[in-house]
Amino acid sequence: YEEPGHGDHRAVLQLAKTESFKALLNADGTRFEQRELAEWMEDWRDHLEALAEDGAILPLSNAVAAIRRITIGTTAETTSEEQTFSNRRSAMAEVEAKHKDTLPAFLKFTCEPYQGLKERTFTVRLSLITGEKPRISARIVRLETAEEEMAKELEDQLRTGFEDTEVRTFVGDFSLGT
């Protein structure tokens, strides 16, 4: 073929994210203050399930209360050793977060990510960052895998109805060379 025709017909599809999926993506990578995370969890309670480190399901109200009530304890220990021609000093500080209730280690966030795609559950890992004021970091676990699965689901939907026709779809970025 002198003029193969590839790239003559192109389309760009931009799916609309749902409000709940936008909220989840905005939380990804955020270092929340206690109040901010507790309020975010309360706002999205219909989509959330809280889990302890061992995987046990926590009542959401208890998880929110645990986030609101974190105590940071610091223990310092100093050792000093003096000898005739040398001296040695060492210091150790231990920071521990204490809480009456079990802090959630993971959140399960269930939502329809894009209009027309099936509902799915995302796992959000919570990590406590100690300091003068504690912060809780939120990170979606294996987000890239979920994005690949959603792209495959969309591709399957696009192929539906064209089983008897040779249709080629490409999910990703493509540009014609000049």
Side-chain angles (χ1 to χ4, degrees):
Y1 291 93
E2 288 182 30
E3 294 185 34
H6 63 278
D8 286 351
H9 305 285
R10 293 182 290 168
V12 176
L13 176 63
Q14 186 70 36
L15 297 178
K17 292 177 182 141
T18 61
E19 181 185 10
S20 54
F21 190 53
K22 285 180 194 175
L24 175 64
L25 292 176
N26 288 337
D28 186 39
T30 301
R31 292 180 173 204
F32 289 98
E33 291 185 6
Q34 289 172 261
R35 180 186 46 77
E36 291 173 328
L37 180 58
E39 289 176 359
W40 185 86
M41 289 171 65
E42 289 169 341
D43 290 348
W44 295 101
R45 73 179 329 114
D46 295 344
H47 297 269
L48 285 174
E49 182 177 58
L51 295 127
E53 186 76 39
D54 63 2
I57 297 172
L58 303 171
L60 198 60
S61 58
N62 291 5
V64 169
I67 293 290
R68 288 187 184 278
R69 193 174 41 243
I70 298 172
T71 304
I72 303 296
T74 304
T75 305
E77 180 180 300
T78 304
T79 304
S80 177
E81 184 179 318
E82 298 283 339
Q83 296 182 3
T84 305
F85 295 106
S86 67
N87 63 15
R88 185 169 77 190
R89 290 181 188 11
S90 66
M92 181 183 79
E94 183 178 315
V95 178
E96 181 183 11
K98 298 176 182 176
H99 38 82
K100 181 181 169 188
D101 300 312
T102 303
L103 272 173
F106 300 96
L107 297 174
K108 295 284 189 176
F109 194 98
T110 303
C111 68
E112 178 186 24
Y114 295 95
Q115 294 174 3
L117 293 186
K118 68 180 179 183
E119 184 176 82
R120 61 185 62 236
T121 300
F122 298 87
T123 301
V124 179
R125 177 185 306 275
L126 299 179
S127 302
L128 182 64
I129 302 164
T130 57
E132 186 177 315
K133 198 170 189 183
R135 293 186 173 272
I136 299 101
S137 169
R139 183 182 60 81
I140 301 172
V141 177
R142 297 178 55 196
L143 178 59
E144 295 81 13
T145 302
E147 288 172 339
E148 289 173 7
E149 291 169 356
M150 290 184 284
K152 177 70 175 130
E153 181 185 346
L154 176 61
E155 183 179 5
D156 291 344
Q157 286 182 6
L158 290 173
R159 290 181 186 278
T160 303
F162 293 101
E163 291 84 8
D164 298 334
T165 309
E166 186 178 331
V167 173
R168 295 179 189 205
T169 58
F170 174 75
V171 176
D173 295 323
F174 172 78
S175 63
L176 293 174
T178 54

